[in-house]
Every structure is written in C-alpha cells, then in structure tokens.
Amino acid sequence: MTVKLFVPKESASGEKRVAMAPAVVDRVVRLGTELSVQAGAGAGSRIPDSAFEDKGAKIVKTKASPLKSADVVLRVAPPTAADIKGMKAGSILASFVYTNRNPDVVKALAEAKVTTLAMELIPRITRAQAMDALSSQAAVAGYKAALIAASELERFLPMLTTAAGTIRPAKVLVIGAGVAGLQAIATARRLGAMVEAYDVRTAAKEQVESLGAKFVMADIKADAEGGYARELTDEEKAAQQAMLEKHIAAADAVITTAAIPGRPSPKIISKAMVESMKSGAVIVDLAAEGGGNCELSEPGSTTTAGEVTICAPLNVPSMLSEHASEMYARNLLNLMELFIKDGELTLDLEDDVIKGALLTHDGEVVNEQAKQILEGSK
C-alpha cells in the first residue's frame, strides 16, 4: 500500500510559505508515500518545482484531482470552503486552523468528515518538541522582529567607537520571553544592543539571563500549563503597567510578543506609555494577529504616534518563507512519522500528540476548547 500525500499551493492572501521543502521530500517518500506537490507551490519561498521533483515528488498542475484522491493533505493556512468540499471523507488534514479565527472552516471540516490535526494544538510536551510548529514559526518571527526594529530605528544598535567619537548602544526591551521573545533577545544581542526582557512567567528569568539580557521583574507570578502564561487579574495588570512604564520610556525599541492562545492579545502598552517614549523610538508588535499588545497598534500596518513608530506586522514567518517553510515541513514530517508506517495509515487516537492535536474526526469536532468557541459563535 502507498499513502497518497498532497501539498497544494497556499491561497491565503500574503502567504508565501509552503508545507513541504525539498530537504525533507526523500524522508517523506521513505515513509511509504506518494507525494504530489501543486505546481508553483514553492514559488513564494523561491523553491522551483524542479527542486521537489529532483527529490522524488510529483508535480501536478491542478489541485482538484490530487485533492480528491489524497489520503493526507498538508497545508500551512486553513483550507478554503471549496477545497474542503473537494477532499475525500476520511482523509487527514495537517494544517494551522485556529478555531477562534475560522469557526466556519472547522464546521466544514467536520461536516466533510475530514480528520484534522491542527498544528497550533500540538501539545507542548517533550516528546512533541520536534512537531511543535507554533514554536518553530515563533522563532522565525522573533528573529525577524529584531531586524525590523533595527531597520526602523534611525540609530545604530551596537556601540561603535569611531574617529568621530563613541556611539552608545541602543536599548531594546522585549516583552514576553517565550520562543519568539527569546529569539528576539538573542538576535538583538547579536546585533550589539543592550537588551532587557520581561515576562510574567518567572521561569523565563534564567533563559533570559543565559542570553545576556537583563530580566525585568514585577512581583507577579502567572505561569500556566504548557509553558504559556495565564491572563492577569486587574490588580496584577496595574502592577505590571507601573513597573513597565519606566523601562518602556527608556527604551529605543520595544518588541512585544505576549499572546494568549484562543484569546485577544493582552494590551500592555497604553497610549500614555507611547507618549512617554523617546523621540524616534520603535515598537514592533508581534502580537498583532490577536489585536496587538500596544493600544495604538493597527494590525498589518506601520504607523506613527507623535515621534514613535509602531510596526504591527501580520504573518511575520512568511517574511522569511524559505526557512520558515523548511522548519514547518520538518514539523510535519515528524508528526507524520507517528501515523504513517510502511505505507499504511495508523492513526492512534490514544497517542498523546495525536489526541492533543485532533480537532475534527469522523464528522465531529472533538477538541473541547474548539467546541466551546463554536458554541459561543452561534
């Protein structure tokens, strides 16, 4: 037997990533699969069709037929309604879905009897680290955020000693020390900036300091399950704001990464805080997908408030699509190794990783949080 895999060209606006990379094609084929990739699927990542073919994938010009016959469909962004109708019942979709943003997509997947493994639901356990696409893409975003800050600032990041005198290093404050925040810290430090970081999770202190940054502390502990942070109480938010205000005012660049899965991004930087910032300061709001951490952020735009530039980019990993695609493809490969063995589909619904990522199956929405979101959207 051979499992038929299909990778369509992404159709979401601005999405340049692809769910497969030439570097992993041969390993995917060795699982006992027949891999088809839609022509032009890698164009946004500057990957020619020939690069996939050379490694053993088949290039198909249209998607209707391979989509209908595929046992497994691999995507980055959620499928369209038309694509879902074209998939066969019982097939497996591995993709980012985000029920809170796309409830109609989830309903359609269930109705079509597609088994959905939502990549944002991969549990954050040691065994699943190699499949954790949220983390791999967050690392890309954190790196790019530091570069955006450096590009938007009208000053150097590192200290420079020149014949014209010494230029002091820029101060960068990173709010949120998860994967994206840590990568932003590391990149800003490599660029020579003085870096401070804040996180409500006290466990982040050691990681921040290991990267050479200073950990800014508030008397708040908000560690939650799965390496995330819980939502703060009103009193805790006030204490956080008071502590952060002076550090934000002193920073040349602030990078925010604070997000709560399935909920709007917490507002951390108020209008008053922006007004207190240095002339020429920059905010890079990586939480724009959820509305932003800055009160003045306009998701998808770069704006100014007085003399402060506020960047709120969307889909930042797509800006580094080549390596973001390769990392994502490796996440998918590691996931598929759990349910494709010797050319056979063996989906173990009791496996911790499969069970955690399972969104729809056999005509039902099976994830409890997704059920609650769908109930609330009626």
Side-chain angles (χ1 to χ4, degrees):
M1 291 279 297
T2 301
V3 176
K4 292 184 177 181
L5 261 64
F6 178 52
V7 179
K9 184 176 181 178
E10 297 294 322
S11 55
S13 177
E15 183 55 77
K16 298 194 294 182
R17 290 172 293 177
V18 59
M20 187 48 57
V24 303
V25 167
D26 55 346
R27 289 182 61 188
V28 170
V29 172
R30 285 203 301 270
L31 292 176
T33 69
E34 178 185 302
L35 175 61
S36 297
V37 178
Q38 186 179 351
S45 299
R46 307 297 176 93
I47 303 171
D49 293 341
S50 58
F52 291 113
E53 283 186 303
D54 291 346
K55 293 293 185 176
K58 179 183 177 182
I59 299 298
V60 293
K61 291 188 177 180
T62 61
K63 65 180 175 181
S65 179
L67 190 64
K68 189 170 184 177
S69 63
D71 300 304
V72 179
V73 177
L74 306 177
R75 300 186 63 106
V76 178
T80 63
D83 285 345
I84 294 170
K85 287 180 181 178
M87 296 174 68
K88 72 177 182 179
S91 61
I92 297 172
L93 169 70
S95 171
F96 285 115
V97 182
Y98 298 109
T99 302
N100 59 311
R101 301 178 204 166
N102 304 289
D104 291 342
V105 170
V106 178
K107 291 175 187 175
L109 287 166
E111 290 169 2
K113 294 189 176 180
V114 172
T115 293
T116 309
L117 296 174
M119 297 305 289
E120 73 274 10
L121 296 180
I122 295 287
R124 288 196 159 174
I125 56 177
T126 302
R127 180 169 161 257
Q129 284 181 344
M131 309 160 209
D132 187 353
L134 277 182
S135 289
S136 73
Q137 302 306 290
V140 176
Y143 169 83
K144 185 65 175 178
L147 299 186
I148 292 172
S151 177
E152 291 292 336
L153 272 176
E154 296 181 3
R155 60 168 301 168
F156 291 115
L157 254 66
M159 181 176 76
L160 293 179
T161 302
T162 73
T166 299
I167 295 173
R168 291 182 58 77
K171 287 185 178 180
V172 175
L173 172 65
V174 178
I175 299 176
V179 175
L182 291 172
Q183 190 60 246
I185 291 166
T187 305
R189 285 285 296 143
R190 283 194 292 267
L191 291 172
M194 292 175 59
V195 183
E196 294 182 329
Y198 170 72
D199 197 290
V200 292
R201 298 170 301 118
T202 54
K205 182 175 185 292
E206 186 177 341
Q207 293 173 300
V208 166
E209 291 178 342
S210 73
L211 294 173
K214 178 183 176 183
F215 190 69
V216 178
M217 295 188 70
D219 191 20
I220 300 169
K221 185 175 181 180
D223 303 73
E225 255 183 68
Y228 295 105
R230 64 170 173 79
E231 192 166 12
L232 301 183
T233 65
D234 289 341
E235 292 79 9
E236 288 171 333
K237 286 178 183 177
Q240 178 196 62
Q241 299 295 90
M243 183 279 301
L244 282 176
E245 190 168 358
K246 64 178 182 179
H247 292 278
I248 289 172
D252 296 292
V254 179
I255 298 172
T256 69
T257 70
I260 302 171
R263 296 187 183 184
S265 303
K267 298 300 181 190
I268 296 173
I269 303 179
S270 65
K271 179 182 177 182
M273 288 180 175
V274 175
E275 291 172 348
S276 74
M277 294 179 74
K278 294 178 179 179
S279 177
V282 171
I283 296 171
V284 181
D285 193 342
L286 279 189
E289 300 280 355
N293 292 142
C294 177
E295 189 179 328
L296 301 181
S297 288
E298 295 182 16
S301 300
T302 294
T303 57
T304 56
E307 298 300 320
V308 176
T309 299
I310 304 171
C311 306
L314 298 174
N315 197 7
V316 177
S318 190
M319 296 178 183
L320 293 171
S321 56
E322 180 183 346
H323 280 150
S325 296
E326 183 173 331
M327 294 166 77
Y328 183 64
R330 292 185 188 280
N331 294 144
L332 289 171
L333 167 64
N334 293 321
L335 177 63
M336 287 190 291
E337 287 177 341
L338 297 182
F339 64 86
I340 301 177
K341 301 182 188 297
D342 301 321
E344 298 279 354
L345 285 177
T346 56
L347 195 68
D348 180 4
L349 300 182
E350 295 306 311
D351 180 282
D352 288 343
V353 178
I354 299 297
K355 189 175 181 180
L358 199 64
L359 179 59
T360 65
H361 180 64
D362 199 22
E364 302 284 340
V365 177
V366 297
N367 178 270
E368 289 302 321
Q369 186 179 19
K371 286 181 185 179
Q372 292 173 16
I373 292 171
L374 293 180
E375 282 295 320
S377 68
K378 287 182 180 178

